[in-house]
Amino acid sequence: MRRHELTDVEWELLAPLIPSAGRVRPRAEDRRVINGMVYKIRTGVSWRDLPERYGPWKSVYTRFRRYAIDGVFTRALQQIQAQADAAGDIDWLVQIDSTIVRAHQHAAATGRKGGSTGRTNRNDHALGRSRGGLTTKIHLACDSRGRPLAVLLTPGQRHDGVCARPLLERIRVPRTGPGRPRCRPDHVIADKAYSSRGFRAYLRRRGIGRTIPEKNDQKMHRRNRGRRGGRPTAFDSKIYRRRNTVERCFNQLKGFRGIATRYEKTATSYEAAVTLASLLLWARSI
């Protein structure tokens, strides 16, 4: 085993989750191709610069792109999460947060010229323009051990509070036996960016506990209204201390150079790279 490659234990865990070739001509060895993908996102090199030991770079890229479009890595991640949930390894104390990733100039050539530049454009490939240039924001929900449960990509300027509900709705852990997938956490921890009446009401309707600090202007507005302002929101500082878990999860994900800086042109490919990195974090924790 070389550096930035799967160990024997990790491959034994991931091998059953990789689609088989079927009745077609023999293809490149699966482990060699997956190792090429891992090397790519770990080092951030160009696809054309992959070492020759992984075979033709175009074969690795074509397989990666096909897996990204088909959602192979997402289904594999859900299967590992299902096994962990069946073993009682997920306590469902979920932390949510986001981080901004700078897009490399190679990721900026997405062919958006001549397209719509409005806010409703669905072909923005999760690229947003800010003072620092083109950026992508990764919204993440993780468990208490810092393992990703759901990932959502948006342009860098998108507010966290707007994406909180879509992010939680992406949590979907299948059952190993009969039954519907689990989609509801027991408790959610978030920072002040997610402090809004709408999001608190959404969590209340779903029966999800919440630990979210209240913004200073919201406290002042409530006090100015007197009795009409209602009661202060419940907040447990001891539980909130555990929110650093999601920060550590981002730190581990950004240990992959291909995640810390976005090189992929399309949102589908970049989300697949983030999902593959999340898959490796799960494989190493089991």
Side-chain angles (χ1 to χ4, degrees):
M1 185 194 72
R2 297 173 182 265
R3 191 183 180 193
H4 305 318
E5 293 185 356
L6 299 174
T7 64
D8 294 337
V9 177
E10 293 172 350
W11 176 245
E12 289 178 2
L13 181 64
L14 298 179
L17 307 178
I18 302 300
S20 58
R23 296 182 179 180
V24 295
R25 65 180 184 179
R27 66 180 184 184
E29 182 185 358
D30 289 341
R31 183 171 182 175
R32 184 179 67 176
V33 174
I34 299 299
N35 279 333
M37 300 178 190
V38 174
Y39 184 90
K40 165 56 170 78
I41 66 172
R42 189 70 181 180
T43 61
V45 299
S46 173
W47 287 106
R48 295 176 181 269
D49 295 331
L50 280 178
E52 296 181 356
R53 62 177 178 269
Y54 301 120
W57 70 268
K58 196 169 185 179
S59 299
V60 181
Y61 169 76
T62 301
R63 184 90 66 90
F64 174 81
R65 183 62 180 167
R66 185 166 67 245
Y67 284 177
I69 295 175
D70 295 341
V72 172
F73 297 129
T74 301
R75 291 193 298 270
L77 179 61
Q78 291 176 347
Q79 292 300 320
I80 290 184
Q81 292 171 349
Q83 297 173 11
D85 188 38
D89 195 26
I90 304 178
D91 65 354
W92 293 100
L93 180 65
V94 176
Q95 297 97 43
I96 61 175
D97 204 354
S98 68
T99 185
I100 293 180
V101 175
R102 180 74 179 270
H104 193 266
Q105 60 182 357
H106 295 168
T110 55
R112 295 190 300 164
K113 294 182 179 180
S116 173
T117 57
R119 297 180 62 181
T120 60
N121 181 19
R122 297 183 180 180
N123 297 322
D124 57 5
H125 294 289
L127 284 172
R129 187 172 295 279
S130 61
R131 292 183 179 180
L134 292 177
T135 55
T136 295
K137 181 174 284 190
I138 303 176
H139 303 266
L140 178 70
C142 72
D143 68 348
S144 61
R145 294 181 56 185
R147 299 173 299 186
L149 292 173
V151 173
L152 176 66
L153 299 184
T154 63
Q157 75 275 8
R158 194 66 52 84
H159 192 271
D160 292 355
V162 178
C163 303
R165 181 171 177 175
L167 175 62
L168 291 181
E169 291 176 349
R170 284 201 166 199
I171 298 177
R172 186 179 180 86
V173 178
R175 308 285 186 178
T176 54
R180 295 179 296 178
R182 174 156 186 177
C183 305
R184 186 176 66 87
D186 292 334
H187 201 95
V188 170
I189 306 176
D191 58 16
K192 290 184 178 181
Y194 299 90
S195 178
S196 67
R197 290 186 178 181
F199 184 52
R200 294 179 189 273
Y202 166 76
L203 296 176
R204 192 180 304 113
R205 287 195 304 269
R206 295 189 61 187
I208 301 175
R210 55 208 171 273
T211 299
I212 306 174
E214 194 176 18
K215 295 180 180 180
N216 294 332
D217 61 333
Q218 293 175 344
K219 294 180 181 179
M220 186 179 300
H221 180 66
R222 175 172 46 79
R223 292 168 182 170
N224 291 338
R225 296 189 64 187
R227 294 181 178 180
R228 295 178 300 172
R231 297 179 179 179
T233 58
F235 178 75
D236 192 333
S237 59
K238 293 183 179 179
I239 296 179
Y240 188 71
R241 292 174 186 172
R242 303 179 64 178
R243 199 192 68 84
N244 66 84
T245 304
V246 68
E247 304 291 351
R248 298 201 305 267
C249 182
F250 279 129
N251 186 34
Q252 294 181 20
L253 285 176
K254 288 190 173 183
F256 295 82
R257 291 177 178 267
I259 306 299
T261 301
R262 174 176 171 176
Y263 298 98
E264 307 296 335
K265 289 183 174 61
T266 65
T268 303
S269 294
Y270 186 62
E271 184 174 351
V274 177
T275 305
L276 178 57
S278 303
L279 188 62
L280 296 177
L281 295 184
W282 274 91
R284 294 167 184 173
S285 67
I286 297 178

